[in-house]
Amino acid sequence: MLIATPQSMHFADVLPLQSGASIRAYDLSYETYGTLNADKSNAVLICHALNASHHVAGVYLDASGEVVDKSEGWWDTMIGPGKPVDTDRFFVIGVNNLGSCFGSTGPMQVNPDTNEIYGADFPVVTVQDWVDAQACLLDALGIQTLAAVMGGSLGGMQALSWTLQYPDRVRHAVVVASAPNLTAENIAFNEVARRAIVTDPDFHGGHYGRHGVLPKRGLRIARMIGHITYLSDDVMNEKFGRQLREISAIHETGYRFSTQEVEFQIESYLRYQGDKFSEYFDANTYLLITRALDYFDPASPFGGDLSAALARASAKFLLVSFTTDWRFSPARSREIVKALLDNQRDLSYAEIDAPHGHDAFLLDDERYLGVVRSYFNAKVAA
Amino acid sequence: MLIATPQSMHFADVLPLQSGASIRAYDLSYETYGTLNADKSNAVLICHALNASHHVAGVYLDASGEVVDKSEGWWDTMIGPGKPVDTDRFFVIGVNNLGSCFGSTGPMQVNPDTNEIYGADFPVVTVQDWVDAQACLLDALGIQTLAAVMGGSLGGMQALSWTLQYPDRVRHAVVVASAPNLTAENIAFNEVARRAIVTDPDFHGGHYGRHGVLPKRGLRIARMIGHITYLSDDVMNEKFGRQLREISAIHETGYRFSTQEVEFQIESYLRYQGDKFSEYFDANTYLLITRALDYFDPASPFGGDLSAALARASAKFLLVSFTTDWRFSPARSREIVKALLDNQRDLSYAEIDAPHGHDAFLLDDERYLGVVRSYFNAKVAA
């Protein structure tokens, strides 16, 4: 069993941001699994997506040494001893991004310039900024070159950006269920989620902390929208279909004939997901991370020419997509594949036939895990 | 030019509802175009979808006889003199459904039992109830049999339900961009929209009228979500892509680096749509109509067997779907086609290759309009 221990690193140097703003000093929460080898060549950095953290793998122990229930890291199927990314072989690093709400410096922390909670004043951060901060963490850990950088969804964007910002520091990039940028539809869903948060009367322009309230209504809606886009139509029909929450004896149809009560299982599920999320996730972080998604577009400085943009990348690539992922469809991964091929880069690409939509990248799918395992064994460890 | 004149019919008889509740007395707003022939055999009933009304075709004149700007009916491309549904030949009826907010009895009107505005007390109505009320309107107009009943989306569900509830009163049913029921994903989007409305502090349990406020925040979010599902990914990319609202001179990326300001054109478009909608649409109506969508499922009393459910239908059918419609995909129309074929019914089916998603059913597409024109000329008028 892999036991995880969260750590924190303080950075006293100013971090200049893509926007022109900067962060004067900051902390990054991180975890490591496995052992860094003597020549420091076996490090694998894992980048997280919207609502995840540095707690990538393993479990936590409580004060009495008992395993904390449901404390498995978010990619525990992928990373650990004997797993596809084998911590008996690799030194794996999980890091919480700047602006997040799981320990790294973000909107919930105190702004050293004002001694007030950042709230809405936390500067807008981008994928590029996150990668710069991650590079500072590697410097502090004494790691020059990554055996691999890896991530799914927004994490995959960071992995891709690593190969462009620090091409000499990355041997392999594993980009799962990702895209070279967001489509208009992707941005649209983010925008609706943001509007739900921002127009919640408890948002107070992002300074809800000063008012002792939380914009939970908005966060619930945001999470419900997000959740729909993570799942495929297929898996929703299979898991929920038109099932009613309970067959009422009152009416032959089974319906309650109510617009506000739960009628269908899918409603109950979404409300539960929204409620749970609103209890632990920070609203300003949600805004920042969805904006980082919107902004990511490495081809933009090259007039939209992704092949030109990726010419800088010298890493070898594994790309994985999932057939029913309509958030970041296989066609988006194929754009990256094509741009890399245009540059005659070494790459492997797997399109996994899985019913679970975008969520598939977090799930226990044999073929998917097998592809990653093979890649790490045959290419990264070689 | 077709001039439209809204009319209203009062019904003093109780309307029993599917839920077991009833409406004691009610009014239906409607419009008619063209002339009913002597044997009353040329009537075409048009059923509307979520946010439309009885104003199907033609324009309104103001008091001085001038055409009111942008007053064209919502299906004016389809219906009028010389149009696919030709009002020189057919007597076309548009009717606003019960529970709507465009003149027919609904939540914004006074409940005769309490002398207060219905608000949240308006009974839950279903597609079946709407069809029953529409049948009462036909009775009042002296029309026994419809040459055709026709609708798109939720309107298509009403057309389908007509063939099951009143098989002897319908010669043809034209069902466009519709489905035999909602999928879990469809229900999920409706539920998020409803939650946004219901959790708006200005909703007051649906009795906002008594508090002199309107839950516009919730309605805006609901409409933005809806709008995303009406458009295809393709058309969004083509119309908006990743275009910024304006290229700012401030930063080389063109970004403002703001989580709350509009950055992308798609955001501006969605906010505009949400704002506009929240100015004229009633929140309780939104809840009622999305619930009617959720509930529609004619196969349910037949254990989910759509073929068994449609055995009652004796009408001839035209079904139309659009390739990029992911809200009510062609596969859903094909389910209806298959069930009708199982019953050896007379049907035509067109799958139109159009980029516009679900919205295509309202747009000016030559092939689509041509299919409907041919069907009316060759079959309905025959």
Side-chain angles (χ1 to χ4, degrees):
Chain A
M1 190 170 52
L2 186 67
I3 308 300
T5 310
Q7 302 175 66
S8 186
M9 185 84 75
H10 181 71
F11 298 85
D13 289 343
V14 167
L15 183 78
L17 301 174
Q18 195 182 358
S19 65
S22 60
I23 297 183
R24 188 147 69 88
Y26 58 99
D27 298 281
L28 291 180
S29 290
Y30 68 102
E31 291 182 7
T32 69
Y33 324 95
T35 308
L36 189 62
N37 61 12
D39 61 359
K40 300 183 173 179
S41 65
N42 69 334
V44 175
L45 177 68
I46 307 296
C47 306
H48 71 75
L50 209 167
N51 62 319
S53 73
H54 51 289
H55 183 42
V56 174
V59 291
Y60 290 142
L61 298 186
D62 64 19
S64 60
E66 296 289 314
V67 171
V68 176
D69 196 35
K70 294 181 181 169
S71 68
E72 292 81 12
W74 57 268
W75 225 349
D76 195 59
T77 51
M78 182 65 82
I79 294 151
K83 292 187 178 173
V85 181
D86 188 348
T87 53
D88 290 337
R89 203 162 187 178
F90 294 103
F91 178 67
V92 177
I93 306 156
V95 57
N96 188 219
N97 285 327
L98 281 172
S100 180
C101 50
F102 297 110
S104 293
T105 299
M108 293 171 79
Q109 260 113 43
V110 171
N111 179 351
D113 290 333
T114 63
N115 284 320
E116 288 210 80
I117 289 171
Y118 271 113
D121 297 335
F122 195 84
V124 168
V125 283
T126 64
V127 166
Q128 187 177 309
D129 298 330
W130 287 335
V131 168
D132 284 339
Q134 290 161 6
C136 293
L137 177 64
L138 292 195
D139 292 342
L141 295 174
I143 297 162
Q144 173 54 31
T145 306
L146 289 166
V149 60
M150 176 170 178
S153 190
L154 175 57
M157 291 175 169
Q158 294 162 59
L160 180 59
S161 204
W162 258 100
T163 70
L164 306 176
Q165 293 176 240
Y166 300 98
D168 300 339
R169 299 185 71 172
V170 187
R171 292 200 292 117
H172 294 271
V174 180
V175 177
V176 182
S178 196
N181 61 23
L182 294 197
T183 62
E185 187 185 83
N186 293 147
I187 296 171
F189 279 119
N190 282 346
E191 172 67 0
V192 183
R194 281 191 297 264
R195 295 310 291 168
I197 290 170
V198 163
T199 63
D200 183 328
D202 286 336
F203 182 69
H204 293 289
H207 291 298
Y208 39 88
R210 297 177 192 169
H211 294 79
V213 291
L214 294 169
K216 287 191 182 181
R217 281 179 292 249
L219 269 171
R220 281 191 201 105
I221 298 297
R223 179 58 164 179
M224 290 170 85
I225 294 168
H227 221 86
I228 297 174
T229 69
Y230 305 152
L231 300 180
S232 70
D233 199 20
D234 287 356
V235 83
M236 267 205 203
N237 281 330
E238 193 187 300
K239 274 178 86 166
F240 305 105
R242 297 182 50 82
Q243 282 173 70
L244 300 174
R245 195 168 62 159
E246 58 190 37
I247 300 298
S248 155
I250 299 164
H251 194 275
E252 58 185 6
T253 56
Y255 296 150
R256 284 178 178 75
F257 292 101
S258 164
T259 57
Q260 297 188 39
E261 285 175 81
V262 165
E263 288 275 24
F264 296 91
Q265 289 286 6
I266 181 67
E267 297 177 314
S268 175
Y269 173 77
L270 284 178
R271 288 194 196 186
Y272 173 77
Q273 295 292 340
D275 287 349
K276 204 172 64 169
F277 188 71
S278 74
E279 294 297 324
Y280 73 84
F281 207 84
D282 178 57
N284 283 311
T285 291
Y286 202 91
L287 303 184
L288 288 168
I289 299 190
T290 53
R291 232 358 165 195
L293 271 160
D294 292 355
Y295 285 149
F296 182 71
D297 189 13
S300 174
F302 297 85
D305 182 343
L306 189 63
S307 300
L310 299 197
R312 278 171 295 167
S314 55
K316 296 180 171 65
F317 277 79
L318 169 64
L319 293 115
V320 182
S321 70
F322 300 93
T323 48
T324 56
D325 182 352
W326 60 280
R327 185 183 175 93
F328 292 149
S329 72
R332 305 310 317 277
S333 284
R334 279 187 242 122
E335 290 178 38
I336 304 173
V337 168
K338 186 195 173 293
L340 290 168
L341 288 177
D342 286 346
N343 288 294
Q344 299 176 295
R345 293 291 178 270
D346 184 325
L347 74 89
S348 305
Y349 173 54
E351 208 164 290
I352 307 287
D353 190 0
H356 308 97
H358 189 60
D359 252 7
F361 91 87
L362 294 168
L363 301 180
D364 195 357
D365 180 298
E366 260 317 307
R367 284 162 308 172
Y368 161 46
L369 296 177
V371 162
V372 176
R373 183 187 296 275
S374 299
Y375 189 84
F376 271 84
N377 287 346
K379 305 272 284 187
V380 185
Chain B
M1 192 168 52
L2 186 66
I3 308 300
T5 311
Q7 302 175 66
S8 186
M9 184 85 75
H10 181 71
F11 298 85
D13 288 343
V14 168
L15 184 78
L17 302 174
Q18 195 182 358
S19 65
S22 61
I23 298 183
R24 187 146 70 88
Y26 58 99
D27 298 281
L28 291 179
S29 289
Y30 69 101
E31 291 181 6
T32 68
Y33 324 95
T35 309
L36 189 61
N37 60 13
D39 60 359
K40 300 184 175 180
S41 66
N42 69 335
V44 175
L45 177 69
I46 307 295
C47 306
H48 70 76
L50 209 166
N51 63 318
S53 74
H54 51 288
H55 182 42
V56 174
V59 291
Y60 290 143
L61 298 185
D62 64 19
S64 61
E66 297 290 311
V67 171
V68 177
D69 196 33
K70 293 180 181 169
S71 69
E72 291 82 9
W74 58 268
W75 223 348
D76 195 60
T77 52
M78 182 65 83
I79 295 152
K83 292 187 178 173
V85 181
D86 189 347
T87 53
D88 291 336
R89 202 162 188 178
F90 294 102
F91 178 67
V92 176
I93 307 156
V95 57
N96 188 218
N97 285 326
L98 281 173
S100 181
C101 49
F102 297 110
S104 292
T105 299
M108 294 171 79
Q109 260 111 42
V110 171
N111 179 351
D113 290 332
T114 64
N115 284 320
E116 288 209 79
I117 289 170
Y118 272 113
D121 297 334
F122 195 84
V124 168
V125 283
T126 64
V127 166
Q128 187 177 309
D129 298 331
W130 287 335
V131 168
D132 284 339
Q134 290 160 7
C136 293
L137 177 65
L138 293 194
D139 292 343
L141 296 173
I143 296 163
Q144 172 56 29
T145 305
L146 289 166
V149 60
M150 176 171 179
S153 190
L154 174 57
M157 290 174 170
Q158 293 161 59
L160 180 59
S161 204
W162 258 100
T163 69
L164 306 177
Q165 293 175 242
Y166 299 97
D168 300 339
R169 298 185 72 170
V170 187
R171 291 200 293 119
H172 294 271
V174 180
V175 176
V176 182
S178 196
N181 61 24
L182 294 197
T183 62
E185 188 183 83
N186 292 147
I187 296 171
F189 279 119
N190 281 348
E191 171 68 0
V192 183
R194 280 191 297 262
R195 294 311 289 168
I197 290 170
V198 163
T199 63
D200 183 328
D202 286 336
F203 183 68
H204 294 290
H207 291 297
Y208 39 87
R210 297 178 193 169
H211 293 79
V213 290
L214 294 170
K216 287 191 182 182
R217 283 178 292 248
L219 268 171
R220 281 191 201 105
I221 299 295
R223 179 58 165 181
M224 289 171 85
I225 295 169
H227 221 86
I228 297 175
T229 69
Y230 304 152
L231 299 180
S232 71
D233 198 20
D234 288 356
V235 84
M236 269 205 201
N237 281 331
E238 193 187 300
K239 275 178 86 167
F240 306 104
R242 296 181 51 82
Q243 282 174 69
L244 300 174
R245 194 168 62 158
E246 59 191 36
I247 300 297
S248 156
I250 298 165
H251 193 274
E252 59 184 3
T253 55
Y255 296 149
R256 286 177 176 76
F257 293 101
S258 165
T259 56
Q260 296 187 40
E261 284 175 82
V262 165
E263 288 275 24
F264 297 91
Q265 290 286 6
I266 181 67
E267 297 177 316
S268 175
Y269 173 77
L270 283 178
R271 288 195 195 185
Y272 173 77
Q273 294 293 339
D275 288 349
K276 205 173 61 168
F277 188 72
S278 73
E279 294 297 324
Y280 74 83
F281 207 83
D282 177 57
N284 283 312
T285 290
Y286 203 90
L287 303 184
L288 287 169
I289 298 190
T290 54
R291 230 4 163 191
L293 271 160
D294 292 354
Y295 286 148
F296 181 70
D297 190 12
S300 174
F302 298 85
D305 183 343
L306 189 62
S307 301
L310 300 198
R312 277 171 295 167
S314 55
K316 296 182 171 66
F317 277 80
L318 168 63
L319 293 115
V320 181
S321 70
F322 300 93
T323 49
T324 57
D325 182 352
W326 60 280
R327 185 183 175 93
F328 292 148
S329 72
R332 304 310 317 278
S333 284
R334 279 187 241 121
E335 290 177 39
I336 303 173
V337 168
K338 185 194 172 293
L340 290 169
L341 289 176
D342 286 345
N343 288 294
Q344 298 177 294
R345 292 293 176 269
D346 183 325
L347 73 90
S348 305
Y349 174 53
E351 206 165 293
I352 308 288
D353 190 2
H356 307 97
H358 189 60
D359 252 6
F361 91 87
L362 294 168
L363 302 179
D364 195 357
D365 181 297
E366 260 317 308
R367 285 162 306 173
Y368 160 46
L369 295 177
V371 162
V372 176
R373 182 187 297 275
S374 300
Y375 189 85
F376 271 84
N377 287 346
K379 305 271 284 185
V380 185

